[in-house]
């Protein structure tokens, strides 16, 4: 999946053998396969630092003239790839993962008008509706404050993005959570770019009976068993993810805190962007395109290969 612009062929969040530039929208591993030795990568400084903290070598490339990176609101450092109409006579935006709500520890999204919109499709169905972020955050804070009186509260979360958001949510109620080494390394990048996070790394903190912990979602059960054995008290488990709206987790509680747009937010994005044509990307792109068509938009799944300038110009000029 790519875009031809100003003589470049830019791969968008994946490996394209004949591309000369590679755009990485954010630091989640399902968006970084295009990083190759010797190939220039366009990404934010925050994302570069996050990737390098995970041992990835990134060769930064300059953003081509007429291209701007816009905040995507998904996680700290996440950006959209925007081809500006003022300099090119046509405009295109690729969202990557995005959301319309403002999350903690992340820059808020920027939306610009564009002739062509290439949009992520993680939650394509109108029947998945995320609750207001304030309500979900209040529920997380209320649950945690209450349960930590009785034992330990363990949240399973992705190490980059969601973990830092949860730390900010707990900091707001005066709790500095205990995190694993991996989260600790990512936190260092956040703090080096000015995000305030108050936390302790497990290996450096004194063992306590009642605390709030953030661990990798795959290690939640193992951590629960270890903590209960050591403290002889209950360890309550929770997840905070948009998938809480579509599936059941084996935890005591699940909070639908998503860093993606639901269908309602997608429509909000589209109405601000006013695209002439929409291409949907991701594993749900077929369903999402169908739903957008039902809502009255010209939408189809992004095809294999690259969108070239002639085609974009024809769309921009209404031909
Ligand atoms: Zn992501």
């Amino acid at each position: 999946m790519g875009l031809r612009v100003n003589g470049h062929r830019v791969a968008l969040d994946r490996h394209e053998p004949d591309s000369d530039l590679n755009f990485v929208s954010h630091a989640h591993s399902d968006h970084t396969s295009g990083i190759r030795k010797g190939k220039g990568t366009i990404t934010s400084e925050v994302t570069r630092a996050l990737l390098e903290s995970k041992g990835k070598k990134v060769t930064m490339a300059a953003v081509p003239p007429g291209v701007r990176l816009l905040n995507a609101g998904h996680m700290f450092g996440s950006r959209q790839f925007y081809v500006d109409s003022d300099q090119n006579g046509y405009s295109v935006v690729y969202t990557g993962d995005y959301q319309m709500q403002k999350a903690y520890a992340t820059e808020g999204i920027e939306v610009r008008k564009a002739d062509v919109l290439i949009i992520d499709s993680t939650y394509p169905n109108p029947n998945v509706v995320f609750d207001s972020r304030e309500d979900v955050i209040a529920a997380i804070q209320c649950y945690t404050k209450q349960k930590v009186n009785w034992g330990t509260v363990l949240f399973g979360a992705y190490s980059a993005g969601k973990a830092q958001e949860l730390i900010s949510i707990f900091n707001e109620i005066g709790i500095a959570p205990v995190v694993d080494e991996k989260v600790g390394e990512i936190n260092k990048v956040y703090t080096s770019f000015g995000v305030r996070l108050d936390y302790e790394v497990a290996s450096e903190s004194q063992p306590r009976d009642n605390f709030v912990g953030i661990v990798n979602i795959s290690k939640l059960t193992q951590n629960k068993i270890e903590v209960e054995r050591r403290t002889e008290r209950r360890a309550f488990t929770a997840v905070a993810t948009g998938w809480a709206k579509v599936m059941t987790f084996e935890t005591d509680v699940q909070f639908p805190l998503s860093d993606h747009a639901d269908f309602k937010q997608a429509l909000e994005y589209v109405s601000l962007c006013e695209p002439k044509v929409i291409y949907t990307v991701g594993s749900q792109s077929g369903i999402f395109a169908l739903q957008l068509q039902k809502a009255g938009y010209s939408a189809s799944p992004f095809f294999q290969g690259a969108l070239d300038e002639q085609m974009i110009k024809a769309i921009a000029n209404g031909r």
Side-chain angles (χ1 to χ4, degrees):
M1 184 176 71
L3 197 60
R4 286 185 202 279
V5 58
N6 297 336
H8 292 287
R9 179 167 164 146
V10 186
L12 300 172
D13 276 341
R14 65 196 65 192
H15 177 55
E16 289 285 341
D18 56 354
S19 61
D20 63 311
L21 287 173
N22 161 50
F23 171 64
V24 175
S25 63
H26 65 288
H28 286 152
S29 56
D30 53 336
H31 293 257
T32 61
S33 63
I35 296 170
R36 291 287 191 282
K37 206 174 167 186
K39 183 177 278 190
T41 291
I42 300 168
T43 194
S44 68
E45 277 300 324
V46 173
T47 299
R48 178 197 58 77
L50 287 169
L51 292 170
E52 291 191 346
S53 80
K54 292 197 272 186
K56 273 204 182 280
K57 193 95 199 84
V58 181
T59 308
M60 291 291 271
V63 176
V67 172
R68 287 162 62 193
L69 304 188
L70 305 176
N71 293 342
H74 172 62
M75 69 170 283
F76 192 41
S78 63
R79 297 289 183 269
Q80 306 171 76
F81 190 90
Y82 179 64
V83 182
D84 199 320
S85 65
D86 290 348
Q87 293 197 39
N88 300 282
Y90 61 86
S91 49
V92 187
V93 64
Y94 163 67
T95 63
D97 291 352
Y98 75 100
Q99 69 172 329
M100 299 302 284
Q101 301 195 80
K102 169 80 177 75
Y104 286 20
T106 303
E107 313 94 326
I109 191 169
E110 299 169 87
V111 184
R112 297 274 183 279
K113 291 189 184 359
D115 298 313
V116 176
L117 166 62
I118 306 167
I119 189 167
D120 173 68
S121 62
T122 301
Y123 293 100
N125 285 310
N127 57 358
V128 174
V129 180
F130 295 142
D131 309 290
S132 119
R133 203 166 198 86
E134 294 78 57
D135 289 350
V136 180
I137 289 169
I140 290 172
Q141 292 173 333
C142 187
Y143 177 85
T144 307
K145 248 194 315 202
Q146 188 196 43
K147 294 296 179 189
V148 80
N149 291 320
W150 302 97
T152 293
V153 185
L154 294 175
F155 271 77
Y158 295 117
S159 305
K162 193 55 69 64
Q164 291 71 31
E165 192 179 356
L166 283 171
I167 293 170
S168 298
I169 289 169
F170 297 134
N171 287 173
E172 199 174 58
I173 51 167
I175 292 172
V178 177
V179 303
D180 61 27
E181 300 272 341
K182 205 171 159 190
V183 173
E185 286 306 307
I186 291 161
N187 289 354
K188 283 184 197 165
V189 178
Y190 272 61
T191 52
S192 74
F193 282 92
V195 178
R196 278 196 63 179
L197 297 172
D198 191 11
Y199 63 95
E200 290 177 42
V201 175
S203 57
E204 298 160 8
S205 72
Q206 293 293 326
R208 275 179 275 145
D209 282 354
N210 295 29
F211 66 97
V212 176
I214 300 172
V215 299
N216 190 286
I217 209 157
S218 64
K219 294 189 178 145
L220 198 52
T221 308
Q222 182 196 332
N223 273 272
K224 175 189 164 72
I225 294 166
E226 283 170 12
V227 168
E228 287 186 337
R229 195 174 291 150
R230 180 176 64 75
T231 62
E232 294 180 349
R233 291 184 188 200
R234 179 89 189 266
F236 302 94
T237 55
V239 287
T241 168
W243 297 109
K245 279 281 179 190
V246 284
M247 60 191 278
T248 304
F249 291 83
E250 288 179 357
T251 51
D252 294 310
V253 67
Q254 50 189 60
F255 297 99
L257 184 76
S258 178
D259 292 325
H260 289 273
D262 59 6
F263 189 73
K264 210 169 127 201
Q265 289 180 52
L267 288 186
E268 190 188 339
Y269 187 105
V270 171
S271 76
L272 292 168
C273 179
E274 296 179 10
K276 291 171 178 152
V277 168
I278 303 171
Y279 293 108
T280 57
V281 294
S283 59
Q284 306 287 336
S285 59
I287 304 164
F288 189 40
L290 206 63
Q291 295 295 352
L292 286 168
Q293 285 167 17
K294 281 188 196 168
Y297 293 101
S298 170
S300 56
F302 197 94
F303 47 84
Q304 289 292 318
L307 200 57
D308 66 35
E309 276 180 304
Q310 290 308 330
M311 198 167 160
I312 300 166
K313 278 177 186 165
I315 293 167
N317 296 322
R319 278 179 274 138

